[in-house]
Amino acid sequence: MQRTIGMKSSWYYAAATLAVAAWLWAVRADAAINPRFTPIHLVKQSKLVVSVDLKEGASKDQYDASVRDVLKGKTDKKSFPFDLSKARSVELADTFRGLAAAKKPALFFVGEFGESEGREETIGYLHVSGKWAMMVSSEDGAWLFDNIDKAMQATWAGGTEMLRRAVDYALQDDDPDVPATDGVAWSAGPVKMAVLPGAIRAVRPVDLAGDGKLALYIARDQGDCLLACDAKTRKWTDITPGRALQAKSLAFAWGDFSGQGRLDLISFDGKAFSLHAQQADGKFAAKPLDLGAAAADGCLGLTALDAGTKGRSGLLVNGNAWPVLVALDGEGKPAATPLTAPGSDPARLGKAGPCLVADFDGDGLADVLALREAGSVFFRGTAVGKFGPGSACPVSLGTGLTGACLGDFDGDGRLDVLTFNSKDWSVWENEGDGRFANQAGLTGEFAYSCVAIGSDCMAGDINNDGRQDILAAYRSGSPYLFFNRGFRSFGLANTVDIGAQHLLPEADDAKGGQRSACLADFDGDGAQDMVLALNNGEIWGFFRENSDNEARMAVAALPVAGPYKGPVTVTGWIGKRCLGAWNVSPGVNQAWFGRRDAGPVTLQWRLPGGSQQQREIILESGGGVRVEVK
């Protein structure tokens, strides 16, 4: 029998709320995520779930929660009265008032979520603006506000709009899952791949032959390196001499610049540019490349993209001013077109950072996001190799050592931006049409576990669950991997916590910091591996444990020899669940869609000027299935 709490029974009211809090915390003494009470449990145990709007009532202690949608259960009520007069403290009541003042949509869960002295009590949990308010039903029909429940953050730490999507997913999916752990193991004994002097710019996977077999490219001021992994033995070999690669890169871009349908490299060594064209035998032939006025404002970064020249990749030169688009003609001669942003002053936005090239607005055309300290400029693609005037965008880098990477962290099919600087990290949610909002404070454990002094980042899928995870490297301290619980809420991947688990004792668990890091399936078993470039020049590889060959991955790649040189957005689906979007470029960026059980994954993409294409891939016993996007 349901029992309610009278206005005079404050002792019982307190006992009930304390009992529920104790019940929630009992299962998570050593963890920040409660594995026994996820959003899936919350929805299942709720008799009623409604979306509400909070409005002030007759007094400062009275609020009305007007019903917008009934998500689960039935109710004839148009609103729920909330009473703050019994709050545990004035401060807690004021916190609730502040949350209500933001006028954001909220979710109200009603159920019997614990026991007090053997008597079940009706409890209400209100989630608004990333916080949980605990309510207890009273005899007069009002809901008594008790406190801002920190214990419930272990159930869900994220935005309310993301929780709404999680609720819909829990109600609609036949077997929903919001993971509480990363659920992976890593092979015993990391591999020291190389020790390299000099400054390492980046470590990145490259598909040199276009056959899906990935090599590791190391950009370095004393000579770039290429390492290949034997799929059977997992041993690494330096193939740089055999490939005759002679680049020394402070900035670089891989693309089909020579128009031969092979992956070439354009390198900047701090003084001059060079083109390293891959020959039919796999060796690279180097020659100087004069970019003329395109490099007049310096070179902080290079990005390959389709610049409109048939059969050849173009180049975006990222300098101290606005970026410059370089198109190479049939003879390889460059023609530079500076991007413009009337009314925007680069100096007022601070130092320039990297440029990100991707289809941010979903129209099938690549856009350019030019990042700077105090803001950015968004150049919308109007045709292949053409961009409209730049407009102001809120994405900012901050000061000091900065960087950025792309990922669809909320799984909505739009590419988000992760940025870091010397003080903090930001997660810029793509709201569409060139609009972004920083949601870093609503990202689960990432919000408070990610160390400030970042050096590199990359999105991946470390546990083959179709959710995009984050690898964060740091200038000092061990790196972190964060697994995605879904809908932009992350947990720290404890099995890969190198510092806590002492996974790299020979290198003091990488506490001296990393210059770069990446995730990719280097041994071709369908599971992503991790590579770290430490500050002391050591290159270490970690392989995902996959002895049962159960890791399944659909991999979408844009062929180097194809008519479009990228990038293109590829989105994956398992039934109605979106697996997010990936930014795919020939030879360097693939789309990774994992699945833990056998079954189909549907891929969708649209090339410029074409219609949306779709292909279903069946993932069976394990391994990666490669699909060329054409």
Side-chain angles (χ1 to χ4, degrees), residues 82-405:
F82 291 162
D83 184 350
L84 276 60
S85 64
K86 301 296 182 180
R88 292 193 190 184
S89 70
V90 173
E91 290 77 13
L92 289 172
D94 286 341
T95 298
F96 181 89
R97 294 184 184 99
L99 295 172
K103 299 186 183 301
K104 298 289 186 180
L107 290 173
F108 191 40
F109 302 83
V110 177
E112 296 165 352
F113 304 110
E115 294 186 358
S116 175
E117 299 179 3
R119 291 170 292 187
E120 296 180 340
E121 303 302 331
T122 302
I123 302 296
Y125 285 114
L126 182 78
H127 192 270
V128 56
S129 298
K131 302 293 184 182
W132 289 96
M134 184 177 179
M135 309 282 184
V136 179
S137 62
S138 67
E139 292 177 348
D140 63 358
W143 286 88
L144 307 179
F145 168 73
D146 176 39
N147 70 96
I148 302 299
D149 197 331
K150 294 182 179 180
M152 282 294 291
Q153 294 294 111
T155 294
W156 178 262
T160 303
E161 78 285 1
M162 292 292 108
L163 181 58
R164 167 62 191 268
R165 287 178 54 194
V167 170
D168 291 339
Y169 162 62
L171 293 172
Q172 296 169 7
D173 197 279
D174 293 335
D175 187 23
D177 176 43
V178 178
T181 64
D182 56 281
V184 301
W186 296 77
S187 297
V191 179
K192 182 187 286 188
M193 301 156 57
V195 181
L196 302 172
I200 294 174
R201 173 68 172 174
V203 289
R204 291 293 184 262
V206 291
D207 183 358
L208 295 173
D211 58 2
K213 297 179 181 178
L214 300 179
L216 179 72
Y217 167 66
I218 306 170
R220 188 172 64 110
D221 67 346
Q222 294 189 21
D224 296 356
C225 293
L226 289 168
L227 304 181
C229 178
D230 184 279
K232 295 182 178 179
T233 65
R234 288 180 166 177
K235 291 184 178 180
W236 294 86
T237 303
D238 185 355
I239 61 173
T240 314
R243 294 282 189 158
L245 183 63
Q246 302 174 10
K248 297 180 179 180
S249 300
L250 296 182
F252 63 91
W254 289 89
D256 181 12
F257 300 110
S258 60
Q260 300 300 311
R262 294 186 286 267
L263 196 64
D264 310 315
L265 174 69
I266 289 181
S267 171
F268 176 66
D269 65 5
K271 296 180 180 179
F273 295 87
S274 55
L275 170 62
H276 303 259
Q278 187 177 178
Q279 308 302 297
D281 60 0
K283 294 183 178 181
F284 290 89
K287 67 176 183 180
L289 181 65
D290 184 5
L291 295 184
D297 292 306
C299 177
L300 301 175
L302 300 171
T303 307
L305 75 167
D306 199 315
T309 302
K310 185 177 181 179
R312 288 180 185 262
S313 298
L315 187 71
L316 191 74
V317 180
N318 175 200
N320 294 305
W322 301 133
V324 178
L325 180 66
V326 177
L328 301 173
D329 65 16
E331 298 179 355
K333 295 181 180 179
T337 304
L339 275 61
T340 62
S344 297
D345 182 2
R348 295 186 64 180
L349 293 176
K351 294 181 180 178
C355 280
L356 300 176
V357 181
D359 179 11
F360 290 106
D361 57 5
D363 62 356
L365 295 169
D367 311 303
V368 174
L369 187 60
L371 302 175
R372 303 185 80 92
E373 285 181 327
S376 59
V377 173
F378 180 71
F379 298 91
R380 192 184 306 273
T382 58
V384 175
K386 296 184 181 297
F387 300 91
S391 58
C393 182
V395 179
S396 61
L397 288 170
T399 58
L401 181 66
T402 60
C405 60

Side-chain angles (χ1 to χ4, degrees), residues 189-192 195 502-510 534 536 538 540:
V191 179
K192 182 187 286 188
V195 181
H502 304 297
L503 301 179
L504 193 54
E506 187 177 337
D508 192 28
D509 296 323
L534 307 187
N536 62 6
E538 295 178 0
W540 287 89

Side-chain angles (χ1 to χ4, degrees), residues 5-70:
I5 298 175
M7 296 291 286
K8 296 181 180 180
S9 302
S10 58
W11 65 271
Y12 194 85
Y13 165 53
T17 54
L18 288 172
V20 173
W23 171 71
L24 287 168
W25 278 98
V27 296
R28 59 176 303 271
D30 298 315
I33 295 175
N34 187 344
R36 293 175 58 187
F37 198 62
T38 70
I40 306 301
H41 299 98
L42 175 63
V43 172
K44 286 183 178 180
Q45 295 181 29
S46 294
K47 295 182 179 179
L48 181 67
V49 182
V50 291
S51 173
V52 298
D53 289 318
L54 296 177
K55 300 178 181 179
E56 294 183 9
S59 71
K60 67 181 183 67
D61 287 332
Q62 306 299 318
Y63 281 82
D64 287 320
S66 58
V67 176
R68 301 179 67 184
D69 300 295
V70 177

